Amino acid sequence: MFSLTYFPIRFDRNNRKVHAIIRGKWGKPREISISWKEAFFYIAPVGPPRPLSTEVPAPQLHCHVLDVDGITVRETFAIGNSCASPAMALQHWEMIRRFMEEGADSLPYPPLEIYMSTKTSLRNAMLMHVAGSGDGLLRIFAMIFTVPWAICRYLAMLTCRAPKWSREVEAATRVERGDPSIRREPTYMGQFQAVNRSVFASNMQYRKEAEQAERDYMALQREADARQPR
């Protein structure tokens, strides 16, 4: 409560920088900018949830901001949502890496579409919690718990304000009007998903391929471990 509705990150390909708004001291938001070359990306290890921590016990892409010694961690921030598997986190990373190092045309399934919505509404709060609660009878049963959770989320969001970038970042990342790569943010989660089924299908196919690659890799690792002398 009384924070930001979301904490944005901008991948500035033209200037080779990553801009982020993060939680600072006492929860006060502040802006940081780091060189793409010096940003240290990794998948956060999965562990038990810690008290008073906003981190989730699931694979998620993170970024370290290192000191000049290249060892000391000065800041850490999460990128994107938590994932069901390390393969999904690597999928997020590969999208970002291709964009920053090779350009938007090299993305695995262009054009990208935005499915999430940052707008504060009861509908979005419900979709955020209820939509991921399974299907059929499982979802109906889960609504006993997720609906109050969604209402609390909506009330908390009403006390928050939208993030605002500095003039320097806005100027550095300005996109020309009419740029063909601009994607409109939906009013509610999944609004464009039903409209552009082919793009959504490509997204799902990319995810399936990433998860299969992970299973194949883990199988090879188990075989290699089995061949090691005891």
Side-chain angles (χ1 to χ4, degrees), residues 10 12 28-29 32 39 54 112-114 120 146 155 161 190 206:
R10 284 189 177 180
D12 182 359
K28 186 178 180 181
I32 59 173
T54 56
L112 290 173
E113 290 292 352
I114 302 174
T120 298
T146 55
L155 294 175
R161 58 187 173 85
Y206 176 57

Side-chain angles (χ1 to χ4, degrees), residues 16 28 42-43 51 65 84 87 89-90 115 117 121 125 128 137 145 155 163 165 170 183 189 200 212:
R16 314 298 295 159
K28 186 178 180 181
Y42 71 104
I43 298 177
V65 181
L90 283 171
Y115 300 116
S117 174
S121 69
M128 175 72 74
L137 291 175
F145 306 98
L155 294 175
W165 293 102
E170 287 286 8
R183 291 292 175 267
M189 285 177 55
F200 182 70
Q212 184 59 51

Side-chain angles (χ1 to χ4, degrees), residues 29 36 97 107 129 144 178 191 202:
W36 166 254
R97 187 199 66 79
L107 295 179
H129 292 291
I144 300 172
Q191 180 182 4
S202 299

